[in-house]
Amino acid sequence: MANLGTRIYTHFRGRLVGRDADGRPYYEARTPNRTGGGEKRHERWVIYHKGEDASAVPPEWWGWLHHMEDAPLPESARQPWQQPWQPNQTGTVAAYHPPGSDLRGGQRASTTSDYEAWYPEG
């Protein structure tokens, strides 16, 4: 969610390019800025929904936002193997815990190799 400064900046400097499937607006500066390398290009930005992190940008818009594409990809260009965005689950109940993890009982399958654990004498 944009603060007052971002809304004012967007109103005067931005041009709405489009919205993603979740309704986030994407903007491009009306006039190009000079980059560190001396080239001119239009600044691009997105206004996130309240509480979102930067990983919420869908792949159709990510390339455009990072100046890798001249235009956002149409949503129809999504590949069948691309999954819908999910927030980072680390630290939540839904986080991934592999077999043997302390949070899944701490029991791993026994090994079938010739591995022998080392124990100190004493």
Side-chain angles (χ1 to χ4, degrees):
M1 185 156 180
N3 62 26
L4 180 60
T6 303
R7 282 188 263 163
I8 292 170
Y9 182 84
T10 300
H11 177 75
F12 286 107
R13 301 263 337 246
R15 176 182 67 82
L16 181 65
V17 174
R19 293 179 182 269
D20 63 21
D22 292 327
R24 287 177 217 89
Y26 292 82
Y27 293 92
E28 185 171 63
R30 291 184 179 130
T31 57
N33 296 332
R34 195 169 295 281
T35 65
E39 64 179 303
K40 285 186 168 188
R41 68 180 185 184
H42 295 269
E43 179 184 11
R44 296 173 177 175
W45 65 95
V46 58
I47 306 294
Y48 296 100
H49 297 305
K50 187 173 185 172
E52 283 187 323
D53 62 26
S55 70
V57 173
E60 298 86 48
W61 285 94
W62 193 91
W64 175 83
L65 194 59
H66 292 89
H67 296 277
M68 296 174 72
E69 305 289 339
D70 292 332
L73 296 174
E75 200 168 328
S76 61
R78 285 184 74 93
Q79 301 298 319
W81 48 264
Q82 289 178 307
Q83 296 182 357
W85 175 81
Q86 293 181 2
N88 187 340
Q89 301 295 317
T90 304
T92 69
V93 177
Y96 172 72
H97 302 293
S101 166
D102 286 340
L103 296 172
R104 283 186 67 183
Q107 299 295 319
R108 293 189 312 171
S110 60
T111 61
T112 57
S113 66
D114 59 355
Y115 173 80
E116 292 182 29
W118 176 85
Y119 297 98
E121 292 181 24

